[in-house]
Amino acid sequence: QLLKEDLVEYSNKEFKGLVLPRHIAEDLEKIGKIAINNDEINKFLRGYDAIQNFFKGSVTSIFPAFHGRNFISNVAQNILDIGIKALNPIMSIRALNVLREGSKGTITTALGKKYSYDELRKIMRENGILSSPGARDVNETIEQKLSKGIYRIKKAAPFTVGRAVGTGIENHARTINFLSNLKLGMTVEQAAKRTKQFLFDYDNLSDFEKNIMRRAIPFYTWTRKNIELQTKILTTEPRLIASTLKAQRLGEPETEEERQNLPKWMAEQLA
């Protein structure tokens, strides 16, 4: 019969709260250390990470098409949360001003609380809203793992400019979301949580996902979190998905049948 002191909480974060007999928990930890600290496995993983991270860093930096799709995707995801405000040019300009270091101004929430732009920049950094979370789908220690040759290429102008553009697009969309929710009267914590829900918290992964899934599936983090978000919205608020699809259809050209049923002057205007 096991005594209370023979039971311990398993140290793995994925199984937080799980209580096991001490000897079983210790054996499981040993198995994990043997697998992770194996020199041959680590050498293979370093090489694999270097190649995969260079690939992921390339396609998210130097291709304008990626940045265009990322911008459109961010707008669509913001619409799911803050609606038409995602397209509000005034809010867009305000977000740019908040992001610009040294700019001065204030915003006032629905509850009458005022925040200066300096305060907002500090708050967003402290809550992990800024610093291009999308780039974190590429391993954060990439510079330590890449060979010197690949690292030199990664530091070249196209990569540097591309990363700056990607960071700007990400931070702009996230700032729009955060400010919109903050102005509604949410607390800083609530607004930050909404931003991370709809534009994703790339740091919130289990050890298994970080060490296994991100290696097995390129861009795993975005894919996993986007599927989770879209499934949740579809099951809880399907009207938001329907509205997005309707907006998309508005941009499509009218059919020939529709054109024939319109007055001539209207058909010419719609052309």
Side-chain angles (χ1 to χ4, degrees), residues 119-238:
E119 286 178 309
L120 289 169
R121 283 189 285 270
K122 182 179 179 183
I123 287 170
M124 289 191 293
R125 288 193 189 97
E126 289 176 347
N127 286 272
I129 293 171
L130 299 183
S131 76
S132 187
R136 294 179 196 157
D137 214 5
V138 179
N139 198 318
E140 289 182 350
T141 59
I142 180 174
E143 295 180 1
Q144 301 171 8
K145 294 188 176 184
L146 292 177
S147 66
K148 290 183 179 179
I150 294 178
Y151 181 60
R152 287 197 197 100
I153 295 172
K154 184 176 177 288
K155 293 289 285 184
F159 287 83
T160 303
V161 173
R163 284 197 303 276
V165 171
T167 298
I169 290 172
E170 284 282 341
N171 284 345
H172 182 242
R174 296 168 76 84
T175 301
I176 289 174
N177 186 286
F178 179 75
L179 294 182
S180 297
N181 284 316
L182 199 64
K183 280 183 67 63
L184 287 175
M186 292 186 185
T187 65
V188 167
E189 292 75 16
Q190 289 171 332
K193 185 177 180 181
R194 295 289 293 186
T195 301
K196 292 179 180 181
Q197 178 184 350
F198 285 87
L199 292 168
F200 310 146
D201 182 358
Y202 283 77
D203 292 328
N204 185 20
L205 292 173
S206 67
D207 289 341
F208 174 78
E209 289 178 305
K210 290 178 181 177
N211 294 319
I212 306 298
M213 297 306 296
R214 284 207 307 191
R215 283 179 168 128
I217 303 174
F219 307 110
Y220 165 81
T221 312
W222 187 90
T223 305
R224 186 274 233 193
K225 289 184 176 288
N226 190 49
I227 291 173
E228 178 183 356
L229 172 65
Q230 300 301 335
T231 303
K232 182 176 180 180
I233 293 295
L234 190 62
T235 55
T236 59
E237 298 185 79

Side-chain angles (χ1 to χ4, degrees), residues 77-86 176-177 180-181 184:
Q77 286 166 235
N78 266 341
I79 288 175
L80 293 177
D81 183 29
I82 60 176
I84 199 66
K85 292 177 186 175
I176 289 174
N177 186 286
S180 297
N181 284 316
L184 287 175

